[in-house]
Amino acid sequence: YKYVAVGSPMDSMSLSPALQGYVSLFKFDEVTQKHRFIKRLYSIQSQDGLAEEFGHDSNILLELENREFLALENSGSFEDAFGYSVSVRDNFLAIGAPTGALWMYNNTQSGFVSVYDKSKGGHDNWGLINLLQGASENDRFGNSVSIDNDILAVGAPGVSGSIGAVYIYRLKRYPISGSADTCQTIQTSS
């Protein structure tokens, strides 16, 4: 594989002062015939994640590209298990955090998935393009993630007690007005 992602989730029992999980991304180097480290990704719930992704050092309010604001959970990134599941394919990377919560007003820890695009922000920059979240407490949304072509599957074993569910998303491309470039986003498939 050209890219390999390795998750290292943090749990609440860890003695590490960082108290946050991360994912290390490696790229195969044709010259050396080995994978080399290219980037470490952190949960946007952490100070490191906000600073890395958005150049922002406060974990309360974040302005999105569409000019909407996102109120982030402030309960500590170590509880989200960011990096518990990872999948990288071609230009996309999905990272699951099955015990986290994104929205401050929704104090449930339903889990979330961060989706990255290889080219957002520059070649091999792997910028965040979407955040997906489970619907209710203990869904464990993001317990498993898998990308195949333009399909993202997200496992949530805690839905409806322990019945579980798999959510399917499809990458859609929308042209940017007045440009040959395209904007990429993940939308729920029907």
Side-chain angles (χ1 to χ4, degrees), residues 25-140:
L25 191 60
F26 300 86
K27 180 180 181 180
F28 186 74
D29 187 322
E30 299 286 339
V31 176
T32 65
Q33 295 293 300
K34 296 179 182 176
H35 282 88
R36 64 178 171 78
F37 173 81
I38 59 170
K39 188 168 186 175
R40 181 168 283 166
L41 299 141
Y42 296 95
S43 171
I44 66 159
Q45 303 295 66
S46 70
Q47 293 295 326
D48 288 340
L50 284 167
E52 174 78 23
E53 187 63 40
F54 303 104
H56 190 278
D57 66 358
S58 171
N59 60 350
I60 301 296
L61 194 60
L62 179 67
E63 184 176 6
L64 302 174
E65 290 178 358
N66 64 1
R67 307 250 187 235
E68 291 181 8
F69 287 90
L70 171 66
L72 298 175
E73 177 65 39
N74 196 23
S75 63
S77 60
F78 67 88
E79 295 178 359
D80 65 20
F82 183 82
Y84 184 86
S85 60
V86 296
S87 182
V88 62
R89 183 72 59 164
D90 301 325
N91 297 330
F92 298 97
L93 167 66
I95 302 173
T99 57
L102 287 177
W103 320 123
M104 186 180 279
Y105 63 85
N106 177 5
N107 201 20
T108 64
Q109 293 183 315
S110 56
F112 66 91
V113 173
S114 301
V115 183
Y116 298 84
D117 181 299
K118 177 179 92 167
S119 299
K120 182 176 180 201
H123 181 68
D124 271 344
N125 185 61
W126 293 93
L128 184 69
I129 61 169
N130 213 326
L131 296 166
L132 308 169
Q133 182 169 336
S136 60
E137 181 78 27
N138 298 321
D139 277 356
R140 294 195 53 83

Side-chain angles (χ1 to χ4, degrees), residues 6-10 20-24 82-84:
V6 180
S8 181
M10 183 62 64
Q20 62 188 10
Y22 61 88
V23 170
S24 294
F82 183 82
Y84 184 86

